[in-house]
Amino acid sequence: MSAASDAAAAGRPLGEFEVIARYFTRPARSAGLGVGDDCALIAAPPGLTLAITTDMLLEGRHFPAGTDPHKLGHKALAVNLSDLAAMGADPRWFTLAIALPEVDPAWLDGFSRGLFALADAHRIELIGGDTTRGPLTLSITAIGTLPPGYALRRDGAAVGDDVWLSGATGEAALALAQLRGAVELDAAHAAACRARLESPAPRVALGRKLRGLASAAIDVSDGLAADLGHVLERSGVGAEVALEAVPVAPALATCHDTALARACLLAGGDDYELVFTAPPERRDDVLRAAEAAGIAASRIGRIVAGEGLTIRDAAGNAVPLAARGFDHFAS
Amino acid sequence: MSAASDAAAAGRPLGEFEVIARYFTRPARSAGLGVGDDCALIAAPPGLTLAITTDMLLEGRHFPAGTDPHKLGHKALAVNLSDLAAMGADPRWFTLAIALPEVDPAWLDGFSRGLFALADAHRIELIGGDTTRGPLTLSITAIGTLPPGYALRRDGAAVGDDVWLSGATGEAALALAQLRGAVELDAAHAAACRARLESPAPRVALGRKLRGLASAAIDVSDGLAADLGHVLERSGVGAEVALEAVPVAPALATCHDTALARACLLAGGDDYELVFTAPPERRDDVLRAAEAAGIAASRIGRIVAGEGLTIRDAAGNAVPLAARGFDHFAS
């Protein structure tokens, strides 16, 4: 820390080890050994299953250049927490690999504050990582724990199960549409959408409460239709979703471009809600779990025999899905 | 797999999920659930410590554009295995986050073969990851296990301990010097150096055998002097190293530019040898451990009171260290 302070005071650039010491090193809590050795060390939690997930975010692809570093620190961790939530896991530890085009103390300060604020809120501990120079790139691996057999996998949906959605989808995609000038929003709706895009709230508490209750779950990162489609494919079932039952956030409800709003709702991506299935006899339990987690849960459809997703409007007609979910090599 | 084959047969580009299915999905072995859900699931190994490490490699910084993909697949995992080796851990699982500028089936085939060949040799299992489009970037998080209290940390070196080095340093850096035209090497030496640079052999077997024997260890990625320096700083001690005792590989011994050869030897980096400390009464045990692991171990110095590293030539004069170790923000 003193070397870093010296460097900052002297106006010279910080080195790699100073960056790590100054912005990314905190005393190990539950880890036996944290940042600063060849590996981090943690005691394997006896009798628990480890859930492990990795996400990589690149500037210009997953977030625009110039994104507020505090929000970026939040989001880089949030997308991984969302994967843990979709598994029903309790967040425990994470590593961060980061490539930076330059050492900018103000940027690093904002980024690390955003990162640690969300980490502290979910009690997940940074235990190690890697720092290098290059195009701004963030790769986080997060580790959670849960009791054996209680993971919310993608392959457990059964015919007759209800299909549920937490919160509402589409606002993040609508924010992107506004950023590229495809739609105009009033200030309040624009702000709500930007917040959803830049500071997603991972549904960790809900995921935890769905253990032993949901038969399958996934987080909505590529769009509701595409991610529910992954569950259907893995589970070997189909689903019927009622468009009228899919909750519509105010910004989408008032959007003049109804085709765009519908595309955002069903295929937008970057929502980080949970779509999950549960037996019909557990409806009250699901509603109680969602209430306890502080998030709405909407019953949007049911699992059927066969394959694929059919979304029907109020008249019973199938809604065509113009856009598939987000595929990083298709766009 | 069928979708991927269809795409390849039809000449259309593979999508993200096809890339994962075709090149990076194998049946889960020890993992309860591998590639293809929100998280991978593994049973926490009872009574063991988990060692976790992350490295990120960028094209143009950590490897040149056009690097043979098979060798790159090897190296991306090797640098992480080297961190596990430096901790004395048994390799178990890893995740891979990869950004690709394009989907090139021949490249992916070579890369995945190189990756899995080394993974199989060390019985480490790919359990998950992320795939996206962007400048070629590889971020691997590797997890190993070891008995509690047996980790080879950086902070355990004690005054009076011997300083040991596995194998020999400097050839990878000499290969880089040759690639940028700074030195000429004969064909055999050039090939030996390129092999060290492109296909490093992580000292996993040695690390495992040093458990309960070495007092501290680190892998040499930033250069012998710099990495030994990290051990000294962490342990709060100094070291005296005898230049004559540091093994010199044939390519360095015959290099006409003796200043360059010495810089490579002491500050080259990318060697992935282990530098470690052990009490003098364990010398025979160290030599037996190295022999059993199939790698030479050289006693190059000793730990002393004070701080910092002093390297002395045969006349007892301190050798000036022109280059510090590699710092990703200093160069």
Side-chain angles (χ1 to χ4, degrees):
Chain A
M1 186 63 88
S2 66
S5 305
D6 290 352
R12 75 173 164 82
L14 299 174
E16 176 182 2
F17 301 105
E18 292 166 330
V19 167
I20 295 169
R22 183 167 188 174
Y23 296 104
F24 298 115
T25 303
R26 306 206 301 189
R29 292 204 312 267
S30 68
L33 181 65
V35 174
D37 211 302
D38 299 293
C39 297
L41 298 176
I42 55 180
L48 292 181
T49 293
L50 301 173
I52 302 170
T53 183
T54 292
D55 271 294
M56 181 185 272
L57 303 186
L58 286 78
E59 182 179 78
R61 182 145 197 101
H62 302 92
F63 57 92
T67 294
D68 178 321
H70 191 282
K71 290 173 178 160
L72 188 59
H74 173 102
K75 184 161 181 176
L77 181 58
V79 302
N80 285 279
L81 289 171
S82 183
D83 281 319
L84 293 181
M87 220 70 192
D90 296 309
R92 300 292 294 271
W93 308 281
F94 72 105
T95 64
L96 167 70
I98 183 169
L100 296 168
E102 61 181 342
V103 175
D104 174 345
W107 191 96
L108 279 160
D109 187 62
F111 177 84
S112 59
R113 284 176 194 270
L115 181 81
F116 283 124
L118 188 66
D120 291 345
H122 290 281
R123 297 188 179 190
I124 187 168
E125 183 179 1
L126 178 65
I127 55 170
D130 194 15
T131 310
T132 189
R133 185 191 289 270
L136 185 55
T137 306
L138 307 161
S139 183
I140 285 181
T141 296
I143 303 177
T145 54
L146 72 171
Y150 279 80
L152 309 179
R153 301 166 56 132
R154 296 182 181 179
D155 59 5
V159 173
D161 281 355
D162 295 323
V163 178
W164 294 84
L165 176 68
S166 72
T169 54
E171 287 177 303
L174 197 58
L176 280 177
Q178 194 221 9
L179 285 173
R180 65 170 189 265
V183 66
E184 286 190 13
L185 302 174
D186 67 44
H189 290 150
C193 290
R194 283 290 288 272
R196 285 299 301 256
L197 177 67
E198 295 178 341
S199 305
R203 305 306 185 195
V204 173
L206 177 61
R208 189 185 285 125
K209 289 184 181 302
L210 291 177
R211 295 200 298 234
L213 181 52
S215 51
I218 191 171
D219 70 321
V220 182
S221 55
D222 294 339
L224 174 58
D227 287 312
L228 178 53
H230 294 319
V231 169
L232 303 181
E233 189 179 338
R234 283 280 171 146
S235 299
V237 295
E240 295 260 350
V241 162
L243 183 59
E244 301 291 310
V246 179
V248 181
L252 273 75
T254 58
C255 178
H256 295 304
D257 186 341
T258 53
L260 174 68
R262 182 174 290 183
C264 289
L265 183 74
L266 301 177
D270 247 355
D271 301 297
Y272 304 105
E273 296 294 353
L274 298 184
V275 58
F276 57 97
T277 60
E281 61 269 24
R282 305 298 301 272
R283 282 175 193 169
D284 288 347
D285 296 326
V286 169
L287 291 171
R288 271 193 293 270
E291 188 176 5
I295 182 73
S298 304
R299 187 158 53 84
I300 62 170
R302 63 195 174 89
I303 298 295
V304 297
E307 63 181 30
L309 169 63
T310 305
I311 303 179
R312 295 195 189 279
D313 62 21
N317 299 313
V319 175
L321 285 174
R324 296 195 313 158
F326 197 73
D327 177 328
H328 284 287
F329 294 110
S331 56
Chain B
M1 185 63 88
S2 66
S5 305
D6 291 351
R12 76 175 163 82
L14 297 174
E16 177 182 2
F17 301 104
E18 293 166 328
V19 167
I20 295 168
R22 183 168 189 173
Y23 296 104
F24 298 116
T25 304
R26 305 206 300 188
R29 292 203 313 267
S30 68
L33 181 66
V35 174
D37 211 302
D38 299 294
C39 296
L41 297 176
I42 55 181
L48 292 181
T49 292
L50 301 173
I52 301 171
T53 182
T54 293
D55 271 294
M56 182 185 272
L57 303 185
L58 285 78
E59 182 178 78
R61 182 143 199 102
H62 302 93
F63 57 92
T67 294
D68 177 324
H70 190 283
K71 290 173 178 161
L72 188 58
H74 173 103
K75 184 161 181 176
L77 181 57
V79 301
N80 284 279
L81 289 172
S82 182
D83 281 319
L84 293 182
M87 221 70 192
D90 296 309
R92 300 292 293 271
W93 308 281
F94 72 105
T95 64
L96 167 69
I98 182 169
L100 296 167
E102 61 180 343
V103 175
D104 175 345
W107 191 94
L108 279 161
D109 187 63
F111 177 83
S112 59
R113 284 176 194 272
L115 181 81
F116 283 123
L118 187 66
D120 291 344
H122 289 282
R123 296 188 181 191
I124 187 167
E125 183 179 0
L126 178 66
I127 56 170
D130 194 15
T131 310
T132 189
R133 185 192 288 272
L136 184 56
T137 306
L138 306 162
S139 182
I140 286 180
T141 297
I143 303 177
T145 54
L146 71 170
Y150 279 80
L152 309 178
R153 300 166 57 132
R154 296 181 181 180
D155 59 4
V159 173
D161 281 355
D162 295 322
V163 178
W164 295 84
L165 176 69
S166 73
T169 55
E171 288 177 303
L174 197 58
L176 280 177
Q178 193 221 10
L179 285 174
R180 65 170 188 265
V183 66
E184 286 190 11
L185 301 173
D186 68 43
H189 289 149
C193 290
R194 282 290 288 271
R196 284 299 300 257
L197 177 66
E198 295 178 341
S199 305
R203 304 306 184 195
V204 173
L206 177 62
R208 189 184 285 126
K209 289 185 181 301
L210 291 176
R211 294 200 298 235
L213 179 52
S215 51
I218 192 171
D219 71 320
V220 182
S221 54
D222 294 338
L224 174 58
D227 287 312
L228 177 53
H230 294 318
V231 169
L232 303 181
E233 190 179 335
R234 283 280 171 146
S235 299
V237 295
E240 295 260 350
V241 161
L243 183 60
E244 301 291 310
V246 179
V248 181
L252 272 75
T254 59
C255 177
H256 295 303
D257 186 340
T258 53
L260 174 69
R262 181 174 290 183
C264 290
L265 182 75
L266 300 177
D270 247 355
D271 300 298
Y272 303 104
E273 296 294 352
L274 298 184
V275 59
F276 57 97
T277 60
E281 60 270 24
R282 304 299 299 271
R283 282 176 193 168
D284 288 348
D285 296 325
V286 169
L287 291 171
R288 271 193 293 270
E291 188 176 5
I295 181 73
S298 303
R299 187 157 53 83
I300 63 170
R302 64 195 174 87
I303 297 297
V304 297
E307 63 181 31
L309 169 64
T310 305
I311 303 178
R312 295 195 189 279
D313 63 19
N317 299 313
V319 175
L321 284 174
R324 296 195 313 157
F326 196 73
D327 177 326
H328 284 286
F329 294 109
S331 56

